[in-house]
Amino acid sequence: MKKRIHVLEDDKDIAFIIEFLLKDEGYEIQVSSTFKELKSKLKDSIPDLFILDVMLPDGNGLDICKDLKNDTFTKHIPVILMSANVQNEALSEASSPDDYINKPFDLDYIESRIKRLIGEKRVA
């Protein structure tokens, strides 16, 4: 069964690149551009991994990560935070993400971080 990744990213170009890359690697991808949209989609399916942008139009990825890690239904799911603001990496520690990626990122790097968190198995 394919591993499902939920990407919360408001920049459509970045979301498209991540979605394209990860689908090509055999992952099932859900993309949301707002926290409200993410919450709505979680009612239908729970992912194996979250990738969250920090700066969002209706929230802060740091706070969203904290909420996910404190929720009974999602606390076991790995979370990767990503941001172009270098200062957010230090701030992210309080949110307890499983990993942090600086933007811009190398596509091979993001793929390796995902494999580390949810397994090496590639599904084509």
Side-chain angles (χ1 to χ4, degrees), residues 6-64:
H6 196 113
V7 179
L8 177 56
E9 171 61 66
D10 63 322
D11 183 308
K12 292 186 187 311
D13 293 332
I14 293 173
F16 175 80
I17 290 167
I18 293 172
E19 181 178 16
F20 182 81
L21 164 78
L22 298 179
K23 277 186 176 178
D24 191 50
E25 290 300 314
Y27 296 104
E28 183 181 320
I29 307 301
Q30 270 190 317
V31 177
S32 296
S33 59
T34 64
F35 182 45
K36 181 179 178 182
E37 186 181 357
L38 168 76
K39 288 191 297 187
S40 174
K41 289 181 179 178
L42 283 179
K43 293 175 187 172
D44 297 327
S45 64
I46 300 291
D48 296 295
L49 175 85
F50 290 102
I51 299 176
L52 308 176
D53 186 20
V54 172
M55 302 298 288
L56 297 162
D58 65 341
N60 181 312
L62 300 170
D63 296 331
I64 295 167

Side-chain angles (χ1 to χ4, degrees), residues 67-116:
D67 289 347
L68 291 170
K69 289 298 186 178
N70 288 320
D71 186 289
T72 305
F73 296 106
T74 58
K75 67 181 179 184
H76 66 283
I77 300 171
V79 176
I80 297 175
L81 285 174
M82 60 181 177
S83 178
N85 184 339
V86 180
Q87 294 175 350
N88 284 331
E89 186 170 6
L91 294 173
S92 74
E93 290 180 24
S95 302
S96 303
D98 296 277
D99 208 341
Y100 185 91
I101 295 173
N102 287 305
K103 291 181 190 175
F105 50 80
D106 176 76
L107 296 177
D108 290 332
Y109 180 76
I110 195 169
E111 183 185 347
S112 72
R113 308 316 292 166
I114 291 166
K115 285 181 178 178
R116 183 182 67 79

